[in-house]
Amino acid sequence: MGTTFQTVEGPRSGLRKLLAISSAGCAVVFIALLGVIGMSLLLVTVATASVLVLWATFKYPTQGLGLFLAFIPTYTLLFLLAKFFGPPYIGALEGADRGALLLIAFGLWCKNGIHLTRPDWLLLACFGLATAHFIFGGSLLALLSDFNFVIAYAAGRLTTLDGDREQYWATRAVWIVSLLAVLGMVEVFIIGEGPRTVLYLAVSRGGTDGNALDAAFHAQGYLGLRESSTMFGPLQFAPLCMAALVIWWIYSRKTIPGLMLAAGLICTVTRSAWVGTAVALGFVSVQLGETRRLLKAGAVMLALFIAAIPVLGLTDYLKSTKSGEDPSAQGHRESIIEGIQFIAQHPFGVGPGNAGKLAVKTEGTAFSVEDTYLTFAAEYGIGTVICFIAFLVSLVRYLRPEPTKLDLVALGVVVGFSAVMTFAALHDVFPLACWLWFPVGLAVRSRMERLHTTADTAV
């Protein structure tokens, strides 16, 4: 039997190699002919790459998701650089990141399937109410932008990781953001804001005021540049550091990446993310019964922050914050009051795109508020924001009993980012959403599988 196997498989193996070599040779000749007749080789390359990506997505969706998550934090800056140096039609690929993850999620759905649970139904109810509101008037682009985080959550709900791959994901996630934090500090302390200013003035539709970076990159009493790394701005990079710190807190005990992440978070000079990180780490530490470790780590971060005050020049910034004379804080309070008044006048919302950041871009006098919940209520009505809050609460209640490491990461992310969203409307930042909502969806699926296994064992 062994001899027969060898005689059959040998020719088959040789035939596969011959076919592969012949196909490669035909492809080279075909590309050369296209070059001779004057057809753009770039279009051929893009088409070939698209076919390969499509094949790999359905053949290896989990591996493709891992590569996507590793790449997505750098997508914003790389895309802007591609628009700056590349051909004009690069700008038409602006939503390619959403499409890529949606395609991967479809491949995962075909492979793993899904069973919905209470948080899923609440999120679908929230999206359904928003969609119904859009039917009666509004912008489709604004609707898709507000709910693009659903794609990341769905990708997590469709993914299954065993213990080793889960640890691998957590370790790589911590180091990726740690390296991005160091890269961002190189821009802050060495390169300066000149290159980013030139890039944004040339190809970005925001981020500048006049011929300089806008106020989001600076702060009252702080003359330096707030760290953004490869994200669009400091407000977007700071919650990414928060999520990575939560993952580090649960899965890692290594000092160096923790210090790198803490330093990056401090250099963003973003109070909302500072508060969100404190809330997230405090919550998971109480769940773990590690309040002593939290106090020790808090003392180290406080010492690091104090040491950074003269280096970053934060003295005047902290004085204005302490005295309550910070225009940013005052503006936020006024924005919240105006948001509540606006919702009282429009309890059913004004439609997607008629309020919020996209509305301001098209009409400078449009209503906008620095709060995700009030933004949702302004666009889609009070009922929609109630469903969204119920979705967040249900996640905490679903994952809290007997939590695993993954459950604790998801709980920290949900609690921390829920706090951040009260200070900033960052729900529509897709590269950030991928890192925030993927582990949440992954934890929900993991817990559901454990519950089903327990029920089957009992039966």
Side-chain angles (χ1 to χ4, degrees), residues 52-211:
L52 291 175
V53 168
L54 188 64
W55 172 81
T57 296
F58 288 95
K59 185 69 174 179
Y60 308 104
T62 304
Q63 292 84 346
L65 177 62
L67 291 174
F68 178 88
L69 292 174
F71 168 76
I72 195 62
T74 66
Y75 175 81
T76 301
L77 186 60
L78 292 179
F79 181 74
L80 292 176
L81 289 172
K83 287 178 66 177
F84 186 82
F85 292 105
Y89 56 79
I90 291 293
L93 302 176
E94 188 168 356
D97 52 344
R98 283 102 167 152
L101 185 57
L102 192 61
L103 184 63
I104 293 172
F106 181 72
L108 290 168
W109 177 66
C110 294
K111 180 180 179 180
N112 299 327
I114 188 173
H115 296 283
L116 300 182
T117 187
R118 185 183 300 111
D120 305 329
W121 289 114
L122 288 170
L123 182 58
L124 287 174
C126 179
F127 181 67
L129 289 174
T131 303
H133 209 301
F134 158 72
I135 295 174
F136 294 99
S139 168
L140 178 61
L141 178 62
L143 174 67
L144 297 178
S145 178
D146 286 330
F147 286 91
N148 60 29
F149 72 91
V150 177
I151 304 175
Y153 175 76
R157 288 287 286 110
L158 295 164
T159 304
T160 300
L161 297 181
D162 56 27
D164 292 337
R165 289 197 295 176
E166 182 183 311
Q167 181 66 45
Y168 183 84
W169 159 76
T171 303
R172 294 299 180 271
V174 168
W175 278 109
I176 287 172
V177 183
S178 298
L179 294 175
L180 291 180
V182 173
L183 180 64
M185 284 185 276
V186 171
E187 179 188 23
V188 170
F189 296 111
I190 299 176
I191 299 176
E193 60 185 272
R196 190 179 289 265
T197 303
V198 173
L199 179 66
Y200 282 20
L201 287 173
V203 296
S204 176
R205 291 180 291 180
T208 56
D209 184 12
N211 293 321

